[in-house]
Amino acid sequence: MANGAVNPHTMPMAPLYIKLGVFTLLMALWQGLAMLLEVPDLPSVTQTLQALYYHTHEGDLINNVLITLGRVLISFTLAMLIGSIFGIAMGSKAWFNNISDSLLIILLNIPALVVIILSYIWIGLVEAAAILAVVINKVPTVAVMLREGARTTDTKLADVAKVYQLSWYRFMRAVYLPQLYPFFLAAARNGLSLIWKIVLVVELLGRSDGVGFALYSMFQFFDIAGILAYTMVFIAVVFVIELVCFKPFDLRIQRGR
Amino acid sequence: MSAVNLKIDKLSYSEYSGHQTIIDHIDLAINNTEFICIVGPSGCGKTTLLNTIAGLLNSPDAAVTFSQADIRLGYIFQEPRLMPWLTLQQNIELVLPQSNPQLVKQVLKQVGLSAYSQHYPNALSGGMLRRASIARAFVIQPQLLLLDEPFVSLDSPTAMKCRALLLDMAKQHQTTMVFVTHDVNEALYMADRIVFLSNSPSTIIHELVLNQSTQQHSGNYESPHQQALKSALFSQYPKILEGTLATG
């Protein structure tokens, strides 16, 4: 890391006490509202925490979350990989963009539910169909973001690489891809939130395990506290992924910019 | 290491599918270790000429030939063009085929940037960035170095320091230099030979050979020696200078 090199563009992180303060305020608001209304449709924070304890120890919460996480991870990896390759190719080759542009618009606008239902009908109620449905839904948005990134790469920096005869690997690693990192990050953040949601719908419609299936079961029994308990875990997992994966990458790509 | 000769033979370059001619039949031979300045008005095609020599633009076969098959080519662009996400040291290491921290350290010391090796480009001043691009060019020990108005946006004292540094390093490395500028003073100060280009489509309209080995770089455009050169040039070639200085 640079000695004394300061990046004026790096956004300062909010102090931890501010984040904790906002979180506590939201919890207090929820608890207060639940106590005020006293209706079964809005369980309090304490009732939700009790449900969380129950589903963790007596139910299948951990197993369901892990199964869903696995599906999210596989779908996310495939969607990022395929979408990035397509997006970069479209952004850097005009002829490929001309061929693929209409297909991209079609894929962007087909409702997610249609893709999910058709995948289950054509492939069957199997894991592959579930993953494929999620990937097809996500690839176009990744491709669009990376296409824009590839279009904005600086050809002057590519000239430097050409003059100094950099190898293809070195050019990609040190010149080209760093220009796309902010677009990768935006696509990944956006992708993760979208994939989470689509995976749940996919599980709800055609799987017998996972968070989506569990939520559907709880809906059958109007187990609102259970639904909120799963949602809590869901949000906690997303926060962990943000802190462990995205934030360090974000800080890394901010260096020097 | 040996410097190279460069031969440009009837080089033409057009844009917009041949509808706009930028360079029109330029013939030029550049000798081993020669420091040549190409002077011409803005927009006449000086950068295009350099980019063609560098292979960044396509030129007709055999229009640009070197005395050796594989040469080490350096290019200092108008802008420093450092990678913003790499530290200064990483930027310089980037152009080396194999890691050589000692060489990088040595070059950074030569350009006076040792203390800034771990800084990112956005933490450096304009003059430092120029010196960094000089370091990047010289770290590969280039046989031929192309320079495209590298000091144009610098304040006068900083530009003068950078010129002195460049001359020093060129002498030390025995590099053939092709330096593009629209500033006749700068060309007189640095070159062994000045080539004057016309307005676009550019052709060579005059060449002036200077014997820099007998000159003493004072580090000042207003030195008596520099003034004498300038007066001689003005008296001999008023039309050339009007053409270049007017738009420079």
Side-chain angles (χ1 to χ4, degrees):
Chain A
M1 187 60 201
N3 296 331
V6 178
N7 180 357
H9 304 295
T10 306
M11 293 286 283
M13 280 177 70
L16 187 63
Y17 68 86
I18 292 183
K19 289 182 175 178
L20 286 174
V22 171
F23 178 74
T24 311
L25 192 70
L26 279 173
M27 290 294 118
L29 201 67
W30 176 8
Q31 181 74 17
L33 203 62
M35 287 169 74
L36 189 74
L37 295 174
E38 281 190 286
V39 289
D41 289 350
L42 183 61
S44 65
V45 177
T46 46
Q47 285 170 320
T48 306
L49 288 173
Q50 281 167 2
L52 178 64
Y53 183 84
Y54 171 79
H55 283 287
T56 309
H57 289 86
E58 308 290 329
D60 255 353
L61 187 142
I62 291 175
N63 192 35
N64 282 327
V65 168
L66 287 176
I67 287 168
T68 300
L69 263 177
R71 287 184 184 129
V72 167
L73 186 69
I74 294 168
S75 312
F76 176 79
T77 308
L78 286 174
M80 284 299 293
L81 198 68
I82 298 166
S84 299
I85 291 168
F86 266 86
I88 292 171
M90 289 177 81
S92 48
K93 302 285 175 197
W95 64 266
F96 188 68
N97 186 55
N98 291 338
I99 293 171
S100 318
D101 194 41
S102 303
L103 177 67
L104 188 66
I105 292 168
I106 291 167
L107 286 173
L108 274 169
N109 289 289
I110 294 178
L113 200 55
V114 172
V115 176
I116 296 165
I117 291 168
L118 288 177
S119 292
Y120 279 142
I121 291 172
W122 288 339
I123 301 172
L125 289 171
V126 292
E127 200 66 31
I131 301 288
L132 183 71
V134 182
V135 171
I136 291 174
N137 272 305
K138 184 52 199 162
V139 162
T141 52
V142 176
V144 166
M145 285 189 189
L146 268 298
R147 178 176 66 175
E148 297 315 310
R151 280 175 175 167
T152 59
T153 53
D154 192 347
T155 54
K156 288 180 176 178
L157 297 183
D159 283 348
V160 173
K162 193 173 178 186
V163 164
Y164 289 102
Q165 299 177 4
L166 266 59
S167 65
W168 183 83
Y169 171 72
R170 196 176 274 204
F171 167 69
M172 292 302 280
R173 186 177 58 81
V175 180
Y176 190 73
L177 290 179
Q179 297 181 67
L180 297 180
Y181 286 162
F183 295 89
F184 278 120
L185 186 65
R189 275 195 168 128
N190 173 278
L192 188 68
S193 63
L194 189 71
I195 284 173
W196 262 120
K197 290 163 192 167
I198 299 171
V199 165
L200 295 199
V201 177
V202 167
E203 288 175 343
L204 185 144
L205 285 175
R207 307 306 301 145
S208 55
D209 50 19
V211 174
F213 171 76
L215 290 175
Y216 182 64
S217 305
M218 285 181 276
F219 169 63
Q220 303 290 316
F221 298 103
F222 288 99
D223 181 4
I224 311 294
I227 291 172
L228 288 173
Y230 265 82
T231 309
M232 269 185 170
V233 175
F234 199 87
I235 291 169
V237 170
V238 170
F239 264 105
V240 169
I241 292 171
E242 172 69 26
L243 282 174
V244 175
C245 302
F246 292 151
K247 204 71 198 175
F249 186 55
D250 195 3
L251 289 173
R252 188 181 162 80
I253 66 174
Q254 290 288 344
R255 284 185 202 162
R257 295 180 200 252
Chain B
M1 188 195 75
S2 61
V4 290
N5 297 332
L6 162 66
K7 192 163 184 281
I8 298 172
D9 188 21
K10 294 185 180 59
L11 174 67
S12 295
Y13 183 81
S14 301
E15 281 184 352
Y16 306 112
S17 308
H19 288 96
Q20 189 182 346
T21 303
I22 311 289
I23 296 173
D24 190 19
H25 284 84
I26 284 186
D27 290 311
L28 185 64
I30 300 170
N31 302 320
N32 198 347
T33 72
E34 188 177 21
F35 196 130
I36 187 166
C37 273
I38 296 171
V39 179
S42 295
C44 76
K46 302 185 294 291
T47 301
T48 304
L49 178 61
L50 280 195
N51 285 343
T52 313
I53 295 171
L56 296 175
L57 295 173
N58 292 328
S59 59
D61 286 345
V64 179
T65 51
F66 303 102
S67 57
Q68 294 173 26
D70 290 317
I71 63 154
R72 282 193 301 279
L73 174 72
Y75 196 152
I76 300 178
F77 298 89
Q78 263 184 36
E79 326 82 35
R81 297 196 191 181
L82 301 173
M83 309 301 150
W85 42 85
L86 299 181
T87 63
L88 191 50
Q89 184 175 330
Q90 289 168 332
N91 261 291
I92 291 165
E93 274 172 353
L94 179 68
V95 299
L96 284 172
Q98 280 156 357
S99 175
N100 190 341
Q102 278 306 314
L103 181 62
V104 174
K105 214 171 169 181
Q106 187 190 324
V107 174
L108 279 172
K109 193 178 173 187
Q110 276 183 299
V111 299
L113 291 173
S114 294
Y116 301 92
S117 64
Q118 298 307 311
H119 281 58
Y120 287 92
N122 68 355
L124 303 177
S125 70
M128 287 168 157
L129 292 172
R130 300 293 159 174
R131 281 188 278 153
S133 61
I134 292 173
R136 182 177 63 184
F138 277 104
V139 79
I140 60 163
Q141 302 183 336
Q143 294 162 293
L144 172 66
L145 181 58
L146 309 176
L147 304 102
D148 186 9
E149 304 195 65
F151 313 129
V152 74
S153 60
L154 296 179
D155 62 86
S156 185
T158 310
M160 221 57 209
K161 279 180 196 165
C162 286
R163 284 183 198 110
L165 174 69
L166 182 69
L167 285 169
D168 188 39
M169 293 194 74
K171 192 176 171 186
Q172 188 186 330
H173 289 265
Q174 293 285 296
T175 306
T176 307
M177 311 277 275
V178 183
F179 189 106
V180 151
T181 180
H182 62 250
D183 182 351
V184 175
N185 274 322
E186 189 173 43
L188 284 171
Y189 178 72
M190 301 184 86
D192 296 323
R193 180 159 53 120
I194 304 176
V195 172
F196 292 92
L197 295 186
S198 67
N199 264 312
S200 185
S202 64
T203 55
I204 294 175
I205 50 174
H206 197 81
E207 288 191 35
L208 176 68
V209 178
L210 302 159
N211 188 0
Q212 292 289 21
S213 60
T214 61
Q215 290 181 28
Q216 290 179 337
H217 292 296
S218 62
N220 184 355
Y221 278 174
E222 304 307 320
S223 70
H225 178 73
Q226 184 85 2
Q227 287 298 320
L229 275 175
K230 200 171 160 185
S231 303
L233 194 58
F234 266 102
S235 60
Q236 274 183 290
Y237 310 108
K239 284 181 184 172
I240 296 168
L241 287 170
E242 275 166 19
T244 54
L245 287 176
T247 51

